[in-house]
Amino acid sequence: MAASTTTTDVFQSGKYKTMLITVDTSSSNLKNPPPKPLLIGTPAEVAEEFPVMVLLHGYMMDTSFYSQLIQHVSSHGYIMVAPQLYVASGNDSTEEINTAAAITNWLSQGLAAVLPSQVSANLAKLILAGHSRGGKGAFALALGKSSTPLTLSFSALLGIDPVDGMAACCRNMQTNPPVLTYVPQSFDLNMPVMVIGSGLGEDRKYKIFPACTPKGLNHAEFFEECRSPAWHLVAKDYGHMDMLDDETKGMKGATTYCMCKNGSSREPMRRFVGGAAVAFLRAYLGGDDRDLMALKETPNIAPVQITVEVRL
């Protein structure tokens, strides 16, 4: 990897113009439609091959709530594929993990048909990411907890404030299938991992609601169970939903403002999450660790106050 120098360009929009594409399961013009509706962010005007990231949404979230984050990462040269895993769901995430596996397998068969004609997907550099319960799902899929066998391999894993359950009746409760083992470095992932956490996630917004990311079920424990190489970045003054779009509409959108304790605004946290992801992927997929090491050595280059913990 290259020697590090302080830089902040990952926190700004990248050099590629992007476009958002919605793909429905019943698209009549597709020979092989996806198993679930997709929101895709892709570089739009360059004939080039790009790595692909599968992004799993949080509990009861719409993929549209991640459109600004998707465009940020995509502008740095990544194809982002965000499936709408469900509209409504209970506590058990087994089905959505299997669905995420089916979406992943579909990529080699159907993704090319929905991308701009000049854009190619490099599925040899495939990244798995997820937010909140989607982060749990991403870890579960990477750990082989899907009953649907994967036909593609992941090169890197990104957990965005992952949570493995909920606080209920004054105690923490893992939801099925449980992912955390409470054994340090027990995750046999065989890939680099970045875990991003929210400093306010453990705090209740209102006394009547539990914390969105209870201690013992959140980012800290996920990182504790990762083997090297693993990165743990925590945004001190921001909350569990602060990487979503500035405006999230509808009833679901309203819950993103009232259920979790939030920071002062979403834009800085979103730029941090997007930029940290890009720095991580440049290092481990592109062989250029300058941005990632700059974050480690000079954390104040991030748009939010962060702590950095690394296991190399």
Side-chain angles (χ1 to χ4, degrees), residues 16-19 41-46 50 74 77-79 116 118-119:
Y16 296 100
K17 291 185 177 180
T18 65
M19 64 185 298
T42 177
E45 299 179 354
V46 179
F50 300 100
S74 184
Y78 299 89
I79 298 168
Q118 73 276 16
V119 172

Side-chain angles (χ1 to χ4, degrees), residues 21-27 30 32-34 36-40 106 114-115:
I21 303 168
T22 56
V23 184
D24 193 69
T25 57
S26 59
S27 298
L30 292 180
N32 187 11
K36 292 287 183 178
L38 305 177
L39 177 65
I40 296 174
W106 171 87
V114 300
L115 294 175

